[in-house]
Amino acid sequence: MTALTQEKPVTTPEATTPGPDLDEVLWQAWKAMEPPEGLHAEIFEGSIKVSPTGRFAHGQIANRLRRAVDRHLDEGEWAAYQDINVVHDRKVWIPDCSSRRKTPRRMSPMTASASRRPPST
């Protein structure tokens, strides 16, 4: 004869306590990273992506694009920028070209900390 019982699973407080948010974990890991020369790290679609920086030809095209966008935005309150960390909701991108206000209205603590790395020479 076989007897089966079904008991409610025992849970411990540690198992039911939510851990840190994935975005927070990625943000802290990205801030602590120091990629080697020639590589850059971005937070993209729930993970940290490390990739090589563009080659010379890629840089030339990105420069031409930035200059063209800058000419278009001339005399306005916006300007084109290149190779800067764009931080939004603890996600980080390093686009070839981006635009933003020439004078930011305010700088959030996250944006201020994203500019913590000295430019590579």
Side-chain angles (χ1 to χ4, degrees), residues 75-98:
E75 306 288 330
E77 61 181 282
W78 291 74
Y81 297 92
Q82 191 171 348
D83 291 329
I84 62 169
N85 295 338
V86 176
V87 179
H88 178 69
D89 289 338
R90 294 191 177 167
K91 292 176 178 50
V92 182
W93 300 272
I94 307 171
D96 293 330
C97 182
S98 62

Side-chain angles (χ1 to χ4, degrees), residues 23 26-28 30-31 41-49 90-93:
D23 285 345
L26 289 171
W27 177 250
Q28 294 301 327
W30 179 83
K31 286 190 341 182
E42 301 173 274
I43 298 175
F44 184 76
E45 294 183 359
S47 63
I48 297 176
K49 306 281 186 190
R90 294 191 177 167
K91 292 176 178 50
V92 182
W93 300 272

Side-chain angles (χ1 to χ4, degrees), residues 37-91:
E37 183 72 29
L39 297 175
H40 67 272
E42 301 173 274
I43 298 175
F44 184 76
E45 294 183 359
S47 63
I48 297 176
K49 306 281 186 190
V50 178
S51 56
T53 55
R55 296 179 181 254
F56 183 73
H58 179 90
Q60 286 181 312
I61 294 167
N63 277 330
R64 287 175 32 202
L65 174 63
R66 182 193 47 80
R67 286 192 301 264
V69 172
D70 226 12
R71 280 192 303 272
H72 178 73
L73 298 173
D74 198 25
E75 306 288 330
E77 61 181 282
W78 291 74
Y81 297 92
Q82 191 171 348
D83 291 329
I84 62 169
N85 295 338
V86 176
V87 179
H88 178 69
D89 289 338
R90 294 191 177 167
K91 292 176 178 50

Side-chain angles (χ1 to χ4, degrees), residues 93-115:
W93 300 272
I94 307 171
D96 293 330
C97 182
S98 62
S99 62
R100 62 169 289 167
R101 291 182 191 280
K102 290 178 182 174
T103 307
R105 287 185 254 187
R106 65 176 179 82
M107 183 175 267
S108 71
M110 280 197 306
T111 305
S113 67
S115 61

